[in-house]
Amino acid sequence: MVELKENLKNNRMMRNGRFAIVFSIIAFFISLLSILAFTPNNKISDKNNYIGVFQEIKKHKVLKIGYGGFPPYTIVNPNVKNSEDEVTGYSIDLIKEIASLAQPELEIEWVRFSWETIQTELNSGKFDIIADPVYQTIPRAFEFDFTMPYAYFGIAVGVVNKDDDRFNTFSDLDRDDIIISLAKGWTTSEYAEKYLDKPKFHFISATGDAFNQLDDVILGRADVALNDVPTVVQYVNAHSDVVKSVFIENPPSSVPGGFVVRKGEVDLLNFLNTSLYILMANGTLERLDEKWETYHHIPINTKVPGSGIK
């Protein structure tokens, strides 16, 4: 009898133990599902429910394009409102060409952004593509997805007084008796800080065209003002009586520039890249360059005739 009672007791303990294990497993999976259901941006939810921007574009047939103003690529026309001419330029024509060749043709919604808040505005969904040729750098590649370049831009070229003949090459700037004006956060400034050790730097907050930073030479606050080729060329053309450019014909470095989309929008990125390859192959980049008299180097496909053509 004692042995029977002991066996019954053991059986109850085993059943209770198994029940506890099963209960624990069920509770664990319930908790896991709850976490997944209420955790934002989880991959399971994204995979099943997320609709990419490109799918929305195909559905509504509208491209939402952001622009900031960077002549002659995006030229803001402040006196024109609610019109397709509110912004014009080389990059704008590229976007229009892509939209017109799509089947069905895509409408374009133009959205002006502020350069200071460009990333926030893009990530908020205010627009889906940045038309301006944003300079591609490794740090920026952490924040944005870039298309293939549709232009290459010379950087670290200079503005000096018209009678200043001290600087023939970029290395001539590495001396401790001069002041160099730089625009805060610009690609040229990063390059100058990396490769010049001796000069004193005068940093200016600059947005948009950055012409106010180049004024440092005319105002006597700097010996040299450095920026990219488009900015320097336009500035010198407007003030050719008092300043000149240096290193324009042989810039110390260059950067690629292209459209920008939010991180992870792979379908949209592929669509834009394929479109740019087509526009490169059919001569559109050269045609628009002649129209807008751009300040960049054009990426050209190098083609070799097939054996049947030779």
Side-chain angles (χ1 to χ4, degrees), residues 82-128:
N82 301 318
S83 165
E84 64 176 12
D85 295 323
E86 68 186 52
V87 57
T88 55
Y90 177 91
S91 302
I92 300 306
D93 278 0
L94 275 181
I95 291 288
K96 289 180 178 179
E97 192 81 9
I98 292 170
S100 67
L101 292 175
Q103 293 295 328
E105 184 173 344
L106 300 173
E107 297 181 12
I108 302 174
E109 179 183 324
W110 301 107
V111 182
R112 189 175 182 183
F113 61 74
S114 167
W115 286 105
E116 292 88 345
T117 57
I118 179 174
Q119 185 173 358
T120 301
E121 293 186 62
L122 175 65
N123 289 337
S124 72
K126 189 174 180 180
F127 48 86
D128 301 316

Side-chain angles (χ1 to χ4, degrees), residues 13-14 34 42 55 64 66 148 168 171 185 189-190 204-205 210-211 221 228 238 243 278 294 296:
M13 291 177 65
M14 291 176 64
S34 298
N42 69 79
Q55 297 305 315
K64 292 194 296 182
M148 62 165 287
N168 296 310
S171 61
S189 304
E190 296 169 357
I204 297 291
S205 294
F211 289 161
R221 294 194 292 240
D228 53 48
V243 295
I278 292 167
T294 62
H296 65 259

Side-chain angles (χ1 to χ4, degrees), residues 9 35-36 54 57 66 76 98 131 138 142 153 197 202 210 277:
K9 180 180 179 182
I35 292 171
L36 292 175
F54 188 61
I57 290 171
V76 179
I98 292 170
I138 292 174
F142 274 99
F153 296 88
D197 298 321
H202 183 223
Y277 278 121

Side-chain angles (χ1 to χ4, degrees), residues 45-55 262-265:
S45 177
D46 283 349
K47 183 177 180 180
N48 294 332
N49 301 319
Y50 176 70
I51 300 176
V53 166
F54 188 61
Q55 297 305 315
R262 282 186 292 279
K263 272 289 184 185
E265 296 295 349

Side-chain angles (χ1 to χ4, degrees), residues 4 12 14 17 26 51 90 98 111 115 125 130 157 164 173 196 200-201 203 232 243 254-255 266 283 285 288:
L4 177 61
R12 284 197 299 272
M14 291 176 64
I26 293 172
I51 300 176
Y90 177 91
I98 292 170
V111 182
W115 286 105
I130 297 174
V157 298
D164 192 340
L173 298 175
L196 297 175
K200 300 180 181 69
F201 293 131
F203 289 95
V232 167
V243 295
S254 64
V255 293
V266 177
L285 299 188
L288 293 181

Side-chain angles (χ1 to χ4, degrees), residues 8-234:
L8 291 173
K9 180 180 179 182
N10 290 337
N11 288 337
R12 284 197 299 272
M13 291 177 65
M14 291 176 64
R15 287 197 299 272
N16 291 340
R18 286 196 295 269
F19 177 77
I21 292 172
V22 172
F23 180 82
S24 298
I25 292 173
I26 293 172
F28 170 77
F29 278 106
I30 291 174
S31 299
L32 179 61
L33 290 173
S34 298
I35 292 171
L36 292 175
F38 291 99
T39 300
N41 301 320
N42 69 79
K43 293 182 180 179
I44 292 177
S45 177
D46 283 349
K47 183 177 180 180
N48 294 332
N49 301 319
Y50 176 70
I51 300 176
V53 166
F54 188 61
Q55 297 305 315
E56 290 291 328
I57 290 171
K58 291 174 68 176
K59 179 180 178 181
H60 299 289
K61 304 176 181 60
V62 176
L63 290 173
K64 292 194 296 182
I65 307 297
Y67 66 92
F70 183 50
Y73 303 93
T74 55
I75 304 169
V76 179
N77 304 305
N79 296 325
V80 179
K81 301 294 183 183
N82 301 318
S83 165
E84 64 176 12
D85 295 323
E86 68 186 52
V87 57
T88 55
Y90 177 91
S91 302
I92 300 306
D93 278 0
L94 275 181
I95 291 288
K96 289 180 178 179
E97 192 81 9
I98 292 170
S100 67
L101 292 175
Q103 293 295 328
E105 184 173 344
L106 300 173
E107 297 181 12
I108 302 174
E109 179 183 324
W110 301 107
V111 182
R112 189 175 182 183
F113 61 74
S114 167
W115 286 105
E116 292 88 345
T117 57
I118 179 174
Q119 185 173 358
T120 301
E121 293 186 62
L122 175 65
N123 289 337
S124 72
K126 189 174 180 180
F127 48 86
D128 301 316
I129 304 168
I130 297 174
D132 303 76
V134 177
Y135 291 174
Q136 300 178 7
T137 65
I138 292 174
R140 288 175 185 168
F142 274 99
E143 309 300 333
F144 305 105
D145 274 349
F146 290 93
T147 64
M148 62 165 287
Y150 61 77
Y152 289 85
F153 296 88
I155 62 169
V157 298
V159 173
V160 299
N161 284 314
K162 199 167 186 178
D163 58 354
D164 192 340
D165 296 323
R166 291 176 290 174
F167 315 112
N168 296 310
T169 65
F170 185 78
S171 61
D172 292 339
L173 298 175
D174 205 16
R175 47 194 289 178
D176 58 14
D177 62 340
I178 64 171
I179 298 173
I180 297 178
S181 175
L182 299 174
K184 288 181 180 179
W186 283 52
T187 308
T188 285
S189 304
E190 296 169 357
Y191 182 87
E193 286 186 279
K194 183 174 182 179
Y195 292 105
L196 297 175
D197 298 321
K198 298 177 181 178
K200 300 180 181 69
F201 293 131
H202 183 223
F203 289 95
I204 297 291
S205 294
T207 58
D209 56 34
F211 289 161
N212 63 312
Q213 175 248 330
L214 302 181
D215 285 338
D216 272 0
V217 172
I218 293 177
L219 297 174
R221 294 194 292 240
D223 298 275
V224 185
L226 297 178
N227 214 298
D228 53 48
V229 168
T231 304
V232 167
V233 168
Q234 292 178 83

